[in-house]
Amino acid sequence: MTETVYLSLGSNVDDRAKNLRDAIALLRKTGIDVTQISPIYETEPVDYLDQPWFLNTAVEAKTELNAVDLLHTLRAIETQMGSKKLIAKGPRLIDMDILLYGDQVIDTPELQVPHPRMHLRRFVLQPLAEIAPNARHPVLSLKVSEMLERTTGKSAVRKFDANRCSGRF
């Protein structure tokens, strides 16, 4: 059975835009059908502040993988790209999170879906609202656009200058 999933991708090390493009290409190579990609946003770090700004994007995809297998695929792509999480919430070459997996609610030690902090994070909601404003959070019963309007997250989020971004998705 095919599920529609929403992913958040971020990078703040090396060529950030290239890292996002490479991760999306690897998603496609694993058989994940990427159907929409949001514009790229440049975002202020949250939690651990002493690091470069991130580039973030959101992806809508269709997959036949169950949620845990999808998580393992994302982690394998991060590893393949050389991403290391040396500091919690710290700098990273690529970070990929499952935001929504259909309308499922999953709460295990390994995986929480919907992402437990997505409604608090402007850097997640702004790109996601570009591609899925009407997608609904299955616990809060709010649309993405409503969560964005209500978020208390104050971090700076601005569209990335496409002229600075070489290559295309």
Side-chain angles (χ1 to χ4, degrees):
M1 186 168 146
T2 302
E3 282 287 357
T4 299
V5 300
Y6 293 96
L7 310 174
S8 176
L9 283 68
S11 174
N12 73 338
V13 174
D14 298 333
D15 186 338
R16 301 169 300 165
K18 181 181 183 309
N19 296 339
L20 295 176
R21 286 193 308 272
D22 290 350
I24 291 168
L26 289 169
L27 284 170
R28 289 178 165 139
K29 284 185 180 178
T30 64
I32 296 168
D33 180 19
V34 175
T35 53
Q36 288 192 80
I37 305 167
S38 78
I40 298 173
Y41 283 82
E42 191 163 32
T43 64
E44 182 178 19
V46 174
D47 298 324
Y48 182 75
L49 304 179
D50 187 23
Q51 61 181 322
W53 281 44
F54 283 82
L55 289 187
N56 289 92
T57 192
V59 170
E60 177 189 76
K62 306 253 188 248
T63 184
E64 293 185 11
L65 296 172
N66 67 48
V68 172
D69 288 342
L70 176 60
L71 176 67
H72 293 162
T73 298
L74 299 182
R75 296 299 166 257
I77 291 170
E78 291 173 349
T79 299
Q80 180 180 347
M81 289 182 64
S83 191
K84 294 176 178 64
K85 296 177 184 177
L86 303 175
I87 301 170
K89 315 279 189 220
R92 65 225 24 220
L93 186 85
I94 191 71
D95 184 48
M96 297 189 287
D97 291 312
I98 302 170
L99 301 175
L100 299 169
Y101 185 91
D103 60 359
Q104 291 188 32
V105 177
I106 302 165
D107 188 7
T108 69
E110 184 177 20
L111 178 63
Q112 294 81 45
V113 175
H115 190 283
R117 291 173 303 285
M118 70 179 280
H119 65 288
L120 303 172
R121 301 205 160 163
R122 188 170 299 282
F123 70 87
V124 168
L125 293 170
Q126 189 73 49
L128 185 58
E130 294 265 0
I131 60 171
N134 296 316
R136 195 166 288 278
H137 191 289
V139 175
L140 301 176
S141 295
L142 294 171
K143 295 178 188 178
V144 170
S145 59
E146 294 169 329
M147 288 187 288
L148 178 59
E149 288 172 11
R150 295 176 184 194
T151 188
T152 57
K154 303 291 185 212
S155 63
V157 175
R158 60 186 181 226
K159 277 204 176 167
F160 183 61
D161 181 356
N163 294 325
R164 291 177 31 205
C165 179
S166 60
R168 299 182 55 92
F169 286 111

